[in-house]
Amino acid sequence: MPPERTDPSDRRSHDLTAIAESVTEAARREFGGALRAVLVYDTDADPVLDVHYVRDDVAAAYDSPVREVAAEVGHDDVFVELDRESGGRNPLGPLRGSVRVFESGVVVRFVPEPGRGVSASLERDAFPGVQSFLDAVDGSLSP
């Protein structure tokens, strides 16, 4: 019997705690101590952001570990909504997540549905390919 499909319009179709646990486990296995924090966000919940995991030194360095990965929670939802409205006809396929590179870290967001997802913050050097790409094009960004 095929697995039961969930209606993508059902905003509760994904268990974010299970996703956060999976992300935390995979990131710790792959990146070890480079994992800084993992957060769950749900724009319909209170609180909107909830810390799932935070490395001890990161927690000690911030007044609130939520600030570590809380950059523009709703931003990617625009792309998810456009994908849904286009019937998934984006030539690149549906949005699965985003990567944001900051001076001191990288935030990876997993977007299973509009308004809900998981964000993971890692040390910037955990993504040498992204850093190499940024270094290669950095000169073209300045006149």
Side-chain angles (χ1 to χ4, degrees), residues 36-72:
R36 297 169 61 86
V38 175
L39 286 158
V40 171
Y41 72 91
D42 184 341
T43 57
D44 288 339
D46 186 26
V48 171
L49 295 169
D50 191 27
V51 176
H52 180 77
Y53 165 84
V54 64
R55 200 173 67 200
D56 291 341
D57 64 315
V58 172
Y62 290 89
D63 293 334
S64 168
V66 172
R67 290 186 191 147
E68 174 64 19
V69 291
E72 301 176 24

Side-chain angles (χ1 to χ4, degrees), residues 11-12 14-17 19-20 38-52 66 69-78 80 95-98 100 107-120:
R11 297 195 31 86
R12 302 288 173 204
H14 294 88
D15 179 356
L16 293 180
T17 300
I19 293 172
V38 175
L39 286 158
V40 171
Y41 72 91
D42 184 341
T43 57
D44 288 339
D46 186 26
V48 171
L49 295 169
D50 191 27
V51 176
H52 180 77
V66 172
V69 291
E72 301 176 24
V73 167
H75 177 75
D76 291 332
D77 296 331
V78 171
V80 173
L95 177 70
R96 297 185 58 207
S98 68
R100 295 178 186 193
V107 175
V108 180
R109 293 187 55 220
F110 305 91
V111 186
E113 56 198 64
R116 302 178 76 230
V118 175
S119 292

Side-chain angles (χ1 to χ4, degrees), residues 129-143:
V130 171
Q131 186 60 47
S132 294
F133 176 76
L134 291 173
D135 290 345
V137 300
D138 193 38
S140 66
L141 301 175
S142 303

Side-chain angles (χ1 to χ4, degrees), residues 76-86 114:
D76 291 332
D77 296 331
V78 171
F79 297 106
V80 173
E81 187 63 26
L82 287 173
D83 182 61
R84 191 171 63 97
E85 288 176 3
S86 71

